[in-house]
Amino acid sequence: MTTMDIAARSSQGRTFLAILWRDIFVTGRKLGLFFAENAIQPLFMLFVFAEVLQRTGYVSQAYGDLLLPGVVAITTFLTALQTVAFPLALDLGWTKEIEDRLLAPLPTYLVAVEKMLVGTIKGIGTAIVTFPVGTLMLGSAPWRASGIPLLVLFLIIGGWVGSAIGLTMGTIMAPERINIAFALVLTPLMFTGATQYPWRSLDTLPWFQVVTAANPLTYLSEGIRSAVVPQIPHIASWLCLVALLASGAIFTVIGTRGFLRRAID
């Protein structure tokens, strides 16, 4: 590698970090609005399903321990997905704001990588807020110190998978159909992701168990449960990691190719 190559890569690295810092800084200035947009719905789900139904006798107190990891999973996953998909669809469609990023001295694929990284960071950020707020709401939270490394690993990989799916959706969706596309995709993702129930409890409903197994969110929900409530029957941690890594790799390749095609057009 020549001195000029090293200098060029160093310049690209500084540009990449500058763009990343700008996106994080802009989010920081609207932090309250950001959490309101992404965390309110999961927290209300937790309040109604775990607290209200428990107090009215429809579910046991232990249901909160099962639901909270699922709510953390869905918050991380969907925040990362929406952070990338919605703005990208608009940037590539009507506003053309993506052209500013494409003029930066960076390879085009790194612009897509930066967007996925921002989505991952925001997904993890909402998870960090959701967990303690959910704990205050329920009065207690399932956790164990030995499970923290596994929990952190699943949050990072889960955020990446959500961002990769968001990148794919953002490059496929037309801006005028974005609301319909979100309704058709996000609703099935939310309710087939094993967030409100453990996957192994579906043994009596095998067809739905198969449908649920096709959703990457299922493996994030089960992975987080394996980290904080291992006593609840769940899919093995290694299998969840393999499924999430495979999903992330597939959607990253598809999304990046779609981004390069749209950016060049």
Side-chain angles (χ1 to χ4, degrees):
M1 184 179 294
T2 65
T3 304
M4 291 183 65
D5 291 335
I6 295 174
R9 293 195 176 189
S10 176
S11 174
Q12 291 174 1
R14 289 195 297 272
T15 304
F16 182 89
L17 292 176
I19 293 174
L20 178 64
W21 168 246
R22 176 191 177 280
D23 285 341
I24 295 175
F25 181 76
V26 170
T27 302
R29 294 183 63 181
K30 302 176 182 177
L31 202 58
L33 181 61
F34 169 72
F35 286 120
E37 288 177 342
N38 296 284
I40 290 296
Q41 183 179 359
L43 289 173
F44 265 92
M45 180 193 299
L46 187 66
F47 175 71
V48 172
F49 280 80
E51 185 68 11
V52 174
L53 294 186
Q54 184 261 321
R55 287 179 180 271
T56 52
Y58 286 98
V59 299
S60 68
Q61 190 171 3
Y63 184 65
D65 292 347
L66 186 154
L67 184 61
L68 182 55
V71 169
V72 172
I74 198 172
T75 304
T76 306
F77 193 88
L78 293 186
T79 297
L81 190 156
Q82 294 181 88
T83 293
V84 178
F86 190 78
L88 184 58
L90 297 180
D91 288 352
L92 291 171
W94 291 326
T95 66
K96 300 294 183 184
E97 290 186 10
I98 196 67
E99 292 179 359
D100 292 343
R101 299 299 178 91
L102 297 176
L103 292 175
L106 281 176
T108 304
Y109 76 90
L110 282 182
V111 178
V113 171
E114 189 271 342
K115 288 193 170 296
M116 285 194 292
L117 185 55
V118 171
T120 303
I121 292 172
K122 289 184 178 181
I124 295 172
T126 52
I128 292 173
V129 171
T130 300
F131 203 89
V133 172
T135 301
L136 290 174
M137 191 178 293
L138 298 177
S140 64
W143 80 284
R144 59 192 182 104
S146 60
I148 291 178
L150 192 60
L151 173 64
V152 172
L153 179 62
F154 273 114
L155 290 178
I156 294 172
I157 297 177
W160 166 49
V161 176
S163 297
I165 295 175
L167 183 69
T168 302
M169 291 178 63
T171 57
I172 293 175
M173 292 186 303
E176 63 272 18
R177 297 178 180 174
I178 193 168
N179 290 333
I180 298 175
F182 266 100
L184 293 176
V185 174
L186 292 190
T187 303
L189 277 176
M190 289 175 62
F191 289 99
T192 63
T195 54
Q196 299 96 356
Y197 46 82
W199 184 79
R200 293 195 180 280
S201 67
L202 299 175
D203 288 342
T204 57
L205 204 58
W207 70 268
F208 190 63
Q209 196 174 38
V210 172
V211 171
T212 304
N215 186 346
L217 177 57
T218 294
Y219 302 98
L220 180 57
S221 303
E222 291 287 275
I224 292 177
R225 285 196 187 100
S226 73
V228 298
V229 282
Q231 69 275 17
I232 295 177
H234 55 269
I235 300 174
S237 301
W238 69 268
L239 186 56
C240 293
L241 286 172
V242 170
L244 286 172
L245 289 172
S247 300
I250 292 170
F251 282 106
T252 295
V253 171
I254 296 174
T256 303
R257 286 184 175 179
F259 181 82
L260 293 175
R261 186 182 65 254
R262 294 288 301 276
I264 292 172
D265 288 345

